[in-house]
Amino acid sequence: MSEGKTLPTQGNTRTMNIDSILFTNITHSDYMFKTLGSIHSISDLIDIIINDVHYISPYIQKSSSSPSTAFCVLLRLFQLNPTPDDIRMMSTHSNKYVRCIAALIIRYSIQFNLLLSYLKPFVDDRAVVNISLHGEKTKQIKCLVKDLILEPKFEGCILPRIPQVYYKPLLEFFKGTSQPNSHELDEDSLTSFSDLKKFVQYSDHHQREHSRPPTSNLRYSRSCRQRSSYRERSRSDSRERRKNYYEERRYDSRKN
């Protein structure tokens, strides 16, 4: 990762490569103009993220024109010209939404040949974040980052296209990581009631699954019982036939 004072960006230095409609909506929003316009330091912006960002979709839920707080903060962060050290610090911050904003600015603006080195801190990040406002859709940060690389859009908004020469090694790397799994929850990553609820539900389900005998064993056991029952019936029938045979012979001998 570069140690220079300037973040090694690519593409449009004004829009951060955000699609034009979303960029226009952000720059014309009251929140961007009235609240974030007076923020001039990274540390103050991080405080805003901690207090105000609770989900990371580009738009406010059920709106196609009102940008989310997260994306307003994202563009403002880009406008403050963060250094590589700033992004590194945010990538390992204790607040999961600060880390998400760092991942987003990396995906939208960092030079393609440096994407992997900047995104590696997120590969094992199992913290669960809200994608939508009320937590109807959640995702682990590591899965979010994987989707940001492998998918062409994020929540309906076009992501900067990665040239094939850089995309292939990224594809190989992220395909080799664990598959996205919204149920793979870590107790240490729980920071909200909704996270805790999901963890409890998953734990109960996991416990029930492991308390059941394997299906194959059940089938084997059932099959054994069926065969055993069949053999018992066969033996009983055989004994009955032999008994009838000998009784008939005795009767015939007495008759003669």
Side-chain angles (χ1 to χ4, degrees):
M1 191 178 295
S2 172
E3 297 294 336
K5 294 296 183 182
T6 304
L7 198 65
T9 60
Q10 53 79 29
N12 194 311
T13 57
R14 185 175 72 91
T15 67
M16 200 188 72
N17 306 305
I18 293 175
D19 73 69
S20 58
I21 295 176
L22 178 56
F23 176 78
T24 300
N25 289 333
I26 292 173
T27 54
H28 287 80
S29 68
D30 288 341
Y31 184 78
M32 185 69 171
F33 181 74
K34 295 179 180 179
T35 302
L36 299 183
S38 61
I39 301 297
H40 299 288
S41 71
I42 302 294
S43 59
D44 288 343
L45 194 63
I46 288 175
D47 290 338
I48 292 286
I49 297 172
I50 293 171
N51 293 323
D52 293 353
V53 175
H54 307 293
Y55 65 99
I56 57 170
S57 63
Y59 286 100
I60 293 175
Q61 194 172 18
K62 297 181 180 179
S63 172
S64 59
S65 60
S66 300
S68 67
T69 300
F71 267 69
C72 289
V73 168
L74 175 63
L75 183 60
R76 185 57 183 158
L77 174 63
F78 183 75
Q79 293 172 346
L80 293 177
N81 297 316
T83 67
D85 286 341
D86 291 328
I87 299 304
R88 185 184 298 110
M89 176 269 295
M90 293 180 67
S91 298
T92 57
H93 197 277
S94 59
N95 183 276
K96 59 186 179 180
Y97 289 103
V98 173
R99 301 200 299 274
C100 281
I101 298 298
L104 286 168
I105 196 172
I106 290 168
R107 176 61 181 91
Y108 272 99
S109 67
I110 292 294
Q111 292 175 6
F112 297 124
N113 62 315
L114 298 175
L115 272 175
L116 184 56
S117 62
Y118 272 85
L119 290 175
K120 276 186 176 179
F122 304 99
V123 170
D124 296 318
D125 195 332
R126 300 174 66 186
V128 178
V129 295
N130 293 328
I131 304 298
S132 55
L133 176 58
H134 298 295
E136 294 90 348
K137 184 176 182 180
T138 62
K139 190 167 290 189
Q140 289 182 337
I141 293 178
K142 66 174 185 177
C143 300
L144 168 68
V145 169
K146 185 173 183 177
D147 288 347
L148 288 173
I149 293 297
L150 301 184
E151 300 297 330
K153 294 182 179 181
F154 173 60
E155 294 298 301
C157 293
I158 298 174
L159 293 165
R161 181 183 176 276
I162 303 173
Q164 192 67 19
V165 65
Y166 302 116
Y167 181 74
K168 286 185 69 176
L170 287 167
L171 177 64
E172 291 175 2
F173 177 82
F174 282 99
K175 284 291 186 182
T177 61
S178 59
Q179 292 296 320
N181 184 356
S182 60
H183 298 295
E184 187 185 1
L185 299 176
D186 181 4
E187 191 170 9
D188 294 335
S189 70
L190 305 179
T191 57
S192 70
F193 177 75
S194 61
D195 290 348
L196 178 60
K197 184 178 179 181
K198 289 183 178 66
F199 181 78
V200 171
Q201 290 172 342
Y202 170 71
S203 298
D204 290 345
H205 173 74
H206 186 72
Q207 187 175 8
R208 287 196 301 271
E209 286 296 316
H210 282 265
S211 65
R212 297 173 184 168
T215 304
S216 59
N217 290 348
L218 285 173
R219 290 173 180 168
Y220 177 76
S221 177
R222 190 180 300 116
S223 177
C224 287
R225 288 197 300 271
Q226 289 172 346
R227 287 197 297 269
S228 177
S229 177
Y230 174 77
R231 285 195 296 268
E232 287 297 324
R233 289 196 302 270
S234 297
R235 292 193 190 102
S236 177
D237 292 343
S238 179
R239 286 194 296 269
E240 188 67 26
R241 285 195 298 270
R242 286 198 300 271
K243 181 180 177 182
N244 292 337
Y245 172 76
Y246 287 121
E247 286 181 352
E248 288 176 0
R249 290 196 61 182
R250 289 194 200 98
Y251 176 78
D252 290 340
S253 63
R254 287 197 300 270
K255 187 175 180 181
N256 293 331

